[in-house]
Amino acid sequence: MLNFILRRLGYGLGVMTLVLITISSIVYLAPVDPARLTFGQNVDAATVASKKEALGLDKPLIVQMFYYLNDISPLSVHKHSAENKAKYNYLKLVSTGNQEAVVLKWPFLRESFQTGRSVSEILKEKVPLTAILATAAILIGLFFGITLGVIAALKQYSWFDNSAVVTSVLGYSLPSYVTAIIIAIIFGYYLAPYTGLNLQGGLVELDDFGNKIFVWKNLILPAIALGIRPVALITQLTRSAMLDVMSQDYIRTAKAKGLSQFTIIFKHALRNALNPVLTAASGWFAALLAGAFFVENVFNYNGLGLETVNALITFDLPVVLGAVLFTAMVFVLINILIDILYAVLDPRVTVGH
């Protein structure tokens, strides 16, 4: 099992390295000068050149990528100095000569080009807000998806079953940002006097005294927009799993024993039908973090997605790379966790390959 976990971690590390190389290549090779964007288009060339040197943008792409990998790696090589000690907050392991040392540290994601804030601080501030949105969306997906799927399976080929299938296909086909725009216009604009919901707004806002407050109603529309696709997927998975389980011999035995319909459905059938549903839901949670990028932009929800879109507009490279790496890490870790759970719970899955 240990070798199985280490192999999966190795694959995950390889995936994240490829993500970093791909995204950084696209961003760094774009015909835009982040240093000039920092000061504006009217700044003189000498100031831009000085800023590019300070940010390390004057070096070849391969060198910039090497330095970035060295910064985000927990085990890295740096010049041992008081300045670097304060910057990286590392633990020196061994000297390598030329005043350099192999050090152990937390990944250093650098600082924003535009604000000068630490990217780690930005992620620490924005990730919980996006996580709340994704959690609310997946809970909506689980509740309505399982409910609709069970009813559709129990009323197979009825008008409700046909409607649920057609609606779920439509809901899954629509991109999240299209759903977000439709929901925002209908419930946040035209029906706003009745719903009391805002067209746009963040979960955390400032009151009249400058204090941060939670505006929970601003979570409702983004969570619904983000949860539509999980509802559609989970509805279909639950319906298929329930139809398969309800045809099993032990269900017929339970009916022959005279057990109530409620007991048969919820104690015997649904418990066994939920395995593929929960597996899909765990994978969808990572996808919702990525899908939130577009939904947050539509609703001006102040999470990681909106921060990343704004960083892309201003070519704030450290923020973009930090957000992409975090999202990739979530995907990798959840997939590794699912693989491990499969290996533990299903004896048919071997860990030797």
Side-chain angles (χ1 to χ4, degrees), residues 170-352:
L170 177 62
Y172 188 75
S173 302
L174 284 176
S176 295
Y177 67 89
V178 174
T179 306
I181 293 172
I182 295 172
I183 289 177
I185 292 174
I186 295 176
F187 298 99
Y189 183 73
Y190 288 111
L191 298 180
Y194 307 101
T195 63
L197 301 176
N198 298 322
L199 179 63
Q200 291 186 325
L203 182 60
V204 177
E205 296 185 350
L206 298 178
D207 62 13
D208 295 336
F209 302 99
N211 300 316
K212 292 183 178 181
I213 58 172
F214 282 90
V215 185
W216 291 105
K217 69 178 182 179
N218 287 342
L219 178 64
I220 296 174
L221 294 183
I224 293 174
L226 195 60
I228 290 295
R229 297 190 77 193
V231 167
L233 176 67
I234 292 172
T235 296
Q236 293 190 17
L237 285 176
T238 304
R239 177 184 179 275
S240 298
M242 281 292 294
L243 288 175
D244 180 63
V245 169
M246 292 297 288
S247 64
Q248 299 296 317
D249 291 338
Y250 70 91
I251 296 296
R252 287 192 287 269
T253 302
K255 291 179 179 179
K257 289 181 177 180
L259 297 179
S260 66
Q261 185 79 351
F262 181 87
T263 302
I264 293 172
I265 294 172
F266 291 98
K267 186 176 179 181
H268 297 284
L270 186 58
R271 287 180 59 183
N272 293 301
L274 284 181
N275 288 333
V277 175
L278 296 180
T279 300
S282 61
W284 258 95
F285 182 78
L288 289 177
L289 290 177
F293 280 44
F294 306 102
V295 173
E296 287 184 11
N297 197 46
V298 172
F299 290 98
N300 201 30
Y301 182 91
N302 53 355
L304 181 62
L306 182 62
E307 184 72 25
T308 306
V309 171
N310 291 335
L312 281 168
I313 294 173
T314 59
F315 263 72
D316 199 343
L317 306 185
V319 177
V320 173
L321 292 177
V324 171
L325 282 177
F326 171 79
T327 306
M329 182 188 69
V330 172
F331 269 97
V332 168
L333 291 179
I334 287 181
N335 279 301
I336 291 174
L337 180 60
I338 292 174
D339 287 342
I340 294 173
L341 288 177
Y342 272 146
V344 171
L345 299 177
D346 193 341
R348 295 171 297 180
V349 177
T350 59
V351 299

Side-chain angles (χ1 to χ4, degrees), residues 53-110:
E53 182 179 358
L55 297 176
L57 298 175
D58 58 330
K59 298 178 175 60
L61 174 61
I62 189 66
V63 176
Q64 294 183 47
M65 291 172 58
F66 175 78
Y67 285 157
Y68 189 77
L69 285 171
N70 192 53
D71 279 349
I72 66 174
S73 174
L75 194 65
S76 54
V77 178
H78 291 284
K79 183 179 180 181
H80 184 52
S81 64
E83 180 182 357
N84 279 348
K85 178 71 174 177
K87 179 180 179 180
Y88 295 107
N89 191 25
Y90 59 72
L91 174 65
K92 180 181 176 182
L93 298 179
V94 61
S95 298
T96 60
N98 297 325
Q99 297 183 334
E100 293 185 339
V102 178
V103 302
L104 183 66
K105 60 176 178 55
W106 286 105
F108 180 65
L109 298 175
R110 300 187 175 178

